[in-house]
Amino acid sequence: MRKLLNTLFVTMPDTYLSRDGENVVIKNEEGIIARYPLHNLEAICTFGYAGISPALMGACAERNIDLTFMTRSGRFLARVIGEDKGNVLLRKEQYRISDDVKRSALAARNMITGKLYNYKWILERAARDYALRIDVNKLKQVSASLTETMKLVRSVEDLDILRGLEGAAAVQYNAVFDSLILQQKEHFYFRGRNKRPPLDNVNALLSFAYTLLSNEVKAALEAVGLDPYVGFLHRDRPGRASLALDMMEELRGIYADRLILFLINKKMVNDKGFHKKENGAVIMDDETRKTVLKAWQERKQEKIIHPYLHEKISWGLVPYAQALLLARTIRGDLDEYPPFLWK
């Protein structure tokens, strides 16, 4: 399994990245700001960068260090990776499954089951821990509905029906998500999912977290030899990492939503870190982005027992564990894909 190292996030504006021997050097007009050993890095993610040297790009490609470029608002721009050495037989079977809509539905339905299961237990945990502060009956009703939807999903063999069930369940979950926000309600509220651009503080946080998760899942799929752009539930579209979006579904709630709720409810972020543009788009400032990134990295280091593998791993390795299980399923080593189910 791939060793979990560190991701270097470069959030300072107008910085230039270069290579000095076996180090990444970060500099601006005033001189060198910092340097980090390449052997300690798994990935480099830059926001609003001024540039990067060809020597550093080459060094990253040789060492399989993912290099990701983002806008300052957190929108994904591009990734630079090394030579693709994926297993051709594995990818050919992945393409065969994707071309067959029935096999695609069978492959995707466990991912959706994982998504609904994890949504259910986010609500159950909130109902247990904050019974005096939220409408428990409302959360219990949605939880029960998610359970019934999971039963239907398990027998679906049609992609359109699967999408319909997933969409209806997501609407129910989103309808009660606002009640999970317990602090700073005047400035942090959720009236529904909006993106491109996000129109409120909570959606700005969620979009940023989903972008981070997407990058991690894409890297994990590539690491095990799968093509992140050929999916099962999400169909082919130029430039869209469809398989990464498929596998993200089961991780959205527990990996991203819970972190954002934690940051809001613990008042680690506040309304002063967000700005609304003329078109209504809400963006985070640099300090808020750094707060989210710091919490994201700390969460990745926390240890858990994987519910299927029964091995102690860090949260940061969960996407790699799931990508490995998906690859084994496609190869025929497993009868069906085991989603990540977390209470």
Side-chain angles (χ1 to χ4, degrees), residues 201-310:
N201 297 347
V202 175
N203 273 290
L205 287 165
L206 289 173
S207 290
F208 186 55
Y210 293 157
T211 298
L212 295 174
L213 179 58
S214 172
N215 289 334
E216 305 240 351
V217 173
K218 281 190 288 189
L221 292 168
E222 289 169 341
V224 302
L226 290 167
D227 186 341
Y229 290 89
V230 178
F232 306 133
L233 181 68
H234 294 83
R235 309 310 288 170
D236 295 348
R237 181 184 298 174
R240 182 170 76 176
S242 296
L243 186 61
L245 293 177
D246 288 353
M247 207 172 80
M248 270 183 63
E249 295 296 347
E250 65 196 84
L251 301 178
R252 284 179 187 271
I254 53 167
Y255 218 98
D257 293 5
R258 285 180 61 196
L259 178 66
I260 297 309
L261 289 169
F262 172 79
L263 292 173
I264 296 171
N265 290 334
K266 293 296 183 180
K267 298 183 179 180
M268 296 174 67
V269 296
N270 58 65
D271 64 295
K272 295 181 176 60
F274 298 83
H275 306 284
K276 179 166 287 192
K277 301 175 69 175
E278 291 183 0
N279 64 352
V282 173
I283 59 173
M284 295 181 286
D285 64 14
D286 288 342
E287 288 304 314
T288 301
R289 191 178 301 110
K290 290 176 184 177
T291 298
V292 177
L293 292 172
K294 183 174 183 292
W296 183 270
Q297 287 295 89
E298 290 175 349
R299 179 64 57 88
K300 285 174 61 178
Q301 304 298 327
E302 294 177 6
K303 301 294 184 180
I304 62 168
I305 302 296
H306 192 283
Y308 179 79
L309 297 173
H310 304 295

Side-chain angles (χ1 to χ4, degrees), residues 7-134:
T7 299
L8 172 62
F9 292 101
V10 182
T11 61
M12 296 181 66
D14 302 322
T15 53
Y16 184 81
L17 281 67
S18 63
R19 176 187 179 184
D20 180 14
E22 293 300 307
N23 296 293
V24 179
V25 176
I26 304 173
K27 62 180 73 173
N28 60 16
E29 293 180 352
E30 298 179 358
I32 295 176
I33 301 172
R35 64 174 66 230
Y36 299 92
L38 283 167
H39 69 265
N40 284 342
L41 297 176
E42 180 186 62
I44 300 173
C45 186
T46 68
F47 295 81
Y49 69 101
I52 184 168
S53 72
L56 178 58
M57 294 180 70
C60 290
E62 290 173 0
R63 293 162 175 76
N64 290 319
I65 299 173
D66 292 338
L67 186 57
T68 304
F69 300 101
M70 314 272 281
T71 67
R72 292 190 64 187
S73 62
R75 183 173 60 85
F76 174 79
L77 290 175
R79 286 180 67 233
V80 177
I81 58 175
E83 180 183 359
D84 186 359
K85 299 177 182 178
N87 186 319
V88 64
L89 298 179
L90 174 64
R91 290 200 174 196
K92 287 180 72 174
E93 183 60 21
Q94 175 191 352
Y95 300 153
R96 292 189 189 101
I97 295 173
S98 180
D99 287 339
D100 186 322
V101 291
K102 182 177 179 179
R103 292 183 70 190
S104 290
L106 298 179
R109 67 186 185 185
N110 279 16
M111 298 176 185
I112 299 305
T113 298
K115 175 180 183 175
L116 303 188
Y117 180 95
N118 293 328
Y119 275 177
K120 170 185 171 65
W121 284 102
I122 289 173
L123 301 182
E124 289 287 344
R125 189 180 299 106
R128 179 196 65 197
D129 295 343
Y130 307 107
L132 299 179
R133 303 179 63 181
I134 60 179

